[in-house]
Amino acid sequence: MQRRAERQARQKRVAIFGTTVGVLVVVGGIFAAVALVGGGGSKTEAAASPSASASASAAPSAAAGPKPYDAATGTCDYVADTNGAPAKNVGMPPAKPDKSAKTMTIATNHGDIVVALATDKAPCTVNSMAFLAKKKFFDGSKCHRMGPASFPMLQCGDPLAKADGKSQTDGQGGPGYRMAEENLSGAKYTRGVVAMAKSQAPGSTGSQFFIIFGDLQLPAEYTPFGTVTKGLKILDDVSKKGVLPGGLGDGSGAPKDPVEIKHVTISGKS
């Protein structure tokens, strides 16, 4: 009975959107439906719904922003996340993005995952990731959610996740601020794409992201900001070992073979 109650509580905190391939997990929303993929805890949505949970049940108000990139002034808008989600607060990114970033290297316990960044198309997202990387925000964090073959993605970026299959708060953590989604026109979520997780509310992108190691049929709602050029085999190998029990029953969960981010580096060299 206790396990059942805990499972139901988790479901209420996570919104999952179904797709033809899997399910989208959304953070800070209402549990909608669990299809092939899902996430645990109030999470922020991402692919199939790699949702990054925002712990609060209230969605960010449109009036509070955040606004999309302003090409006229060359500035980004980041606003404080006041929804009560757990956060590792390291400050706010500069409003003026540095567009020189070309490559993101995610050093993990399995080796490096190298990503070619779409800085011109997602300047505010890349700017945020570069800021967090410089602040060592991701160092020592664990990727808390991996989908099955029907929903091939690995979700990371919650600095507080335990990824042990038991934590009720995995997927809720963030940077304490949020930003608008970008680069959505014609967005495709195919093998190698790296995109941001979010809740079902617009303007709820934080620090959680997901790496796709197959092809996903998702709505164009998650900011794609790069493509893996090296290291996808790491995800292929980890996925073969399966996930820990304790998910929402959609086949996703913390990977049995843990994936820990040692350090993230963003450079101007491609």
Side-chain angles (χ1 to χ4, degrees):
M1 289 296 290
Q2 182 179 355
R3 289 183 179 178
R4 181 179 179 183
E6 291 176 351
R7 189 162 54 245
Q8 291 175 337
R10 293 179 74 184
Q11 290 177 338
K12 290 178 181 178
R13 288 195 297 270
V14 182
I16 296 180
F17 291 72
T19 67
T20 57
V21 173
V23 180
L24 292 177
V25 176
V26 179
V27 175
I30 300 173
F31 179 77
V34 178
L36 301 177
V37 183
S42 309
K43 303 173 181 181
T44 303
E45 46 171 295
S49 171
S51 95
S53 332
S55 71
S57 57
S61 67
K67 301 182 180 75
Y69 175 70
D70 188 333
T73 60
T75 56
C76 299
D77 186 33
Y78 304 101
V79 301
D81 185 354
T82 58
N83 290 329
K88 177 181 177 180
N89 199 322
V90 294
M92 203 86 81
K96 197 84 169 179
D98 178 0
K99 294 188 177 181
S100 65
K102 300 295 183 184
T103 303
M104 176 172 70
T105 300
I106 306 170
T108 78
N109 56 318
H110 293 280
D112 291 352
I113 298 173
V114 181
V115 181
L117 298 169
T119 308
D120 290 340
K121 296 181 179 180
C124 297
T125 301
V126 172
N127 185 54
S128 173
M129 294 296 285
F131 170 78
L132 294 174
K134 186 176 182 180
K135 293 291 185 178
K136 303 184 186 306
F137 177 89
F138 300 107
D139 292 17
S141 63
K142 298 177 180 179
C143 296
H144 64 277
R145 182 175 177 231
M146 173 166 271
S150 56
F151 187 54
M153 66 86 212
L154 176 68
Q155 188 170 338
C156 314
D158 175 351
L160 307 176
K162 293 181 174 62
D164 58 3
K166 300 175 183 179
S167 176
Q168 297 292 306
T169 58
D170 279 9
Q172 294 182 20
Y177 65 83
R178 52 192 174 83
M179 72 192 93
E181 289 66 59
E182 54 189 347
N183 192 28
L184 300 182
S185 179
K188 301 293 183 182
Y189 304 97
T190 53
R191 179 176 169 83
V193 168
V194 184
M196 299 301 293
K198 60 179 284 292
S199 79
Q200 76 185 73
S204 55
T205 294
S207 61
Q208 292 187 45
F209 61 94
F210 57 101
I211 306 171
I212 304 171
F213 55 96
D215 290 333
L216 295 177
Q217 298 297 320
L218 299 173
E221 298 175 357
Y222 311 93
T223 300
F225 67 97
T227 304
V228 175
T229 59
K230 175 187 175 184
L232 272 181
K233 188 177 184 301
I234 292 173
L235 277 67
D236 292 336
D237 292 343
V238 171
S239 68
K240 292 175 183 177
K241 298 178 182 178
V243 300
L244 296 173
L248 292 177
D250 62 356
S252 71
K256 283 185 177 180
D257 189 356
V259 178
E260 180 176 338
I261 296 177
K262 294 182 177 181
H263 188 63
V264 174
T265 305
I266 293 185
S267 67
K269 296 181 180 180
S270 56

